[in-house]
Structure formats: C-alpha cells, structure tokens
Amino acid sequence: RLLSFDKHIAAIEKETEEKSGSLVREETPDRLRLTDVTISVPAMDENKRTREIISSASCTIKSGEHVILKGPSGSGKSTLLRTLAGFWPYVKGHISMPAPSEMMFIPQKPYIPMGTSAEAASYPLETADKEILSPLLVECGLSHLMEKPDTEADWSHILSLGEQQKLAFVRVFLRKPKWIFLDEATKSAKEVGLASSLSPDYASLYNQTDLSGQRDEVLLWRMYSEDAKVQNQVGGATHGY
C-alpha cells in the first residue's frame, strides 16, 4: 500500500513538472505570498482543456497570522491547498512560501498506513518513543491506542473518521510545524469531543480553527470547513477567493 502511494505521489510530481512551466515557486521563511495566481481544473467541455476556478489571486500571509478560507463547495478551497502543497499541475503565477519542513497539510481524511498504532500516530516521522507518544494520545482522547502498541492493523478501517482526525492532531503535536494547513480537519473530531479532551495548552491550537471565535481579522493560514474564504487586504479593499 505504501509503495502504491509513493508511486501515485511520484506520478503527480511528474505531471506537475510537465504542466507547471508558467508557475514560479520560491521559498521564503516568514511569509506565504500569492502573486497573480490562477488555478484551473480539467474542463467537462471537450472544446476546452481546463476551466479557471481561481483567477489572478494575490495575497500575503505573514508568519503568525491566521487566515480562514471561505466559499461554496467547488470554489477551489481544497484545490488551492493542493496547489500550495505542490500536488496540482494546472496553475500559473508566482508562489512564495516556507520550506516543506516547516509546513504540515492536514486533509479531512488523513492518510494512515498499515502498521502498529504507534507507527500510525507517528507517520510520516520515525515511530516516536512511548514516553513521548502516550501523553499526546491521552491529550487527544486516543489513549486506547497504546493498550497494544505493537499490534499491527489497518487503522484506517478500525478508527472512525473522528478518531482519525484526532490522530492527525497527535502528528501535529509531534512534529510541531510552524505552518499548518487544515482542510476540514476538525469537523468529525469536534463531533466526538476533541476539544473537551485537550488540555488548555493543546486546546488553544484547536480552538483557533473554530469559525465561531472568528475576529474581524483572522490571524495563520487555516482552512476549517466548506464555509472557508481567503480574506486579505489588497489595494485597500477586502478580497475573497
């Protein structure tokens, strides 16, 4: 399964290289900047190869700021995150963003490889020591996974979606990235009580993804639900993409 996943990622990277000649990417340590970025999807119309879903988007998000993406289904929210992650080939413009080692992308359904529960919780890092992993599993309401840490299983079929999303937060706390991109990554976890199971220190990170606490200027690049919208001041006006 891991081998087929690696082959799939390699195929995506190859397609991206072949079709992203009009996209310029560079690393910047303290900000994410889109300059005249246009993102397309394959068109259903046989007379057109692609259809634009985001046109000439420009914005800058500095380190420490939080941004929520908001828009109807199909408006390009997840596709924008795929673009930032380097997995979407139909894009042109200029993107400046931190190094991959400083970022972490969390989808609604996280990838969980077959193996032990400790390996699943630590992915994609090396398996964490029990002394490090156990407190994080407890904090995220997954203490039962450490009852048999050496038992191998297909956890993607054993754990509910809410538990899988909790597991993704264990990975966040293990890796401690400077930038986190969430694509509906807490929706099911909220329904099974992730916030109530976190201590105050950990809950503060979780609550920053909750739209109910949104301020006039939402501060780190976040994506919480289908009601997400990129808001940024451009030329004195607020633009949404």
Side-chain angles (χ1 to χ4, degrees), residues 20 22-26 32-40 51-61 75-77 79-86 88-97 221 230 234 240-241:
S20 62
S22 56
L23 173 66
V24 177
R25 302 181 71 106
E26 64 178 358
L32 186 154
R33 175 176 292 164
L34 307 181
T35 305
D36 198 24
V37 171
T38 295
I39 300 174
S40 303
R51 173 177 59 87
E52 290 185 2
I53 55 173
I54 296 178
S55 302
S56 302
S58 296
C59 64
T60 299
I61 298 111
S75 61
K77 304 180 300 296
T79 306
L80 175 58
L81 290 190
R82 294 188 188 103
T83 297
L84 296 178
W88 194 255
Y90 308 103
V91 56
K92 59 183 179 181
H94 192 126
I95 298 178
S96 303
M97 58 192 305
W221 182 278
V230 178
V234 180
Y241 305 98

Side-chain angles (χ1 to χ4, degrees), residues 2-240:
L2 279 175
L3 183 59
S4 62
F5 176 77
D6 289 340
K7 287 182 178 180
H8 181 62
I9 294 299
I12 292 176
E13 291 176 344
K14 182 179 179 181
E15 184 178 15
T16 300
E17 291 176 358
E18 293 174 347
K19 298 183 179 180
S20 62
S22 56
L23 173 66
V24 177
R25 302 181 71 106
E26 64 178 358
E27 290 186 7
T28 51
D30 60 349
R31 69 190 60 207
L32 186 154
R33 175 176 292 164
L34 307 181
T35 305
D36 198 24
V37 171
T38 295
I39 300 174
S40 303
V41 296
M44 299 298 292
D45 187 344
E46 61 181 17
N47 296 321
K48 297 181 180 179
R49 291 188 58 191
T50 60
R51 173 177 59 87
E52 290 185 2
I53 55 173
I54 296 178
S55 302
S56 302
S58 296
C59 64
T60 299
I61 298 111
K62 298 179 181 178
S63 178
E65 293 183 336
H66 303 71
V67 173
I68 292 178
L69 303 179
K70 189 172 184 179
S73 179
S75 61
K77 304 180 300 296
S78 294
T79 306
L80 175 58
L81 290 190
R82 294 188 188 103
T83 297
L84 296 178
F87 293 157
W88 194 255
Y90 308 103
V91 56
K92 59 183 179 181
H94 192 126
I95 298 178
S96 303
M97 58 192 305
S101 59
E102 298 180 347
M103 302 183 296
M104 195 167 181
F105 291 81
I106 309 297
Q108 181 179 12
K109 183 174 176 58
Y111 174 72
I112 301 179
M114 291 185 65
T116 66
S117 59
E119 290 171 341
S122 303
Y123 181 87
L125 303 177
E126 294 293 328
T127 305
D129 294 336
K130 183 177 180 180
E131 293 74 16
I132 297 175
L133 193 57
S134 292
L136 297 180
L137 289 169
V138 172
E139 291 288 354
C140 293
L142 294 172
S143 58
H144 59 283
L145 292 185
M146 291 307 296
E147 294 176 0
K148 297 181 179 180
D150 298 324
T151 300
E152 295 192 2
D154 187 352
W155 297 102
S156 64
H157 289 135
I158 295 175
L159 301 179
S160 68
L161 181 56
E163 289 175 318
Q164 292 179 45
Q165 291 185 345
K166 287 183 176 184
L167 196 67
F169 272 83
V170 173
R171 296 171 177 176
V172 169
F173 299 140
L174 275 175
R175 185 169 172 180
K176 300 177 181 178
K178 295 181 180 179
W179 293 74
I180 307 171
F181 301 78
L182 306 179
D183 186 353
E184 294 193 64
T186 64
K187 186 174 183 179
S188 295
K190 284 187 67 177
E191 295 171 359
V192 292
L194 174 59
S196 62
S197 64
L198 293 177
S199 69
D201 289 342
Y202 292 110
S204 63
L205 184 153
Y206 172 83
N207 289 335
Q208 289 174 20
T209 69
D210 193 340
L211 288 178
S212 64
Q214 182 177 350
R215 299 189 296 267
D216 289 339
E217 208 173 44
V218 185
L219 295 178
L220 201 194
W221 182 278
R222 300 282 184 188
M223 185 170 185
Y224 169 67
S225 73
E226 288 195 355
D227 295 322
K229 183 176 188 177
V230 178
Q231 293 185 336
N232 191 63
Q233 292 292 337
V234 180
T238 300
H239 292 257

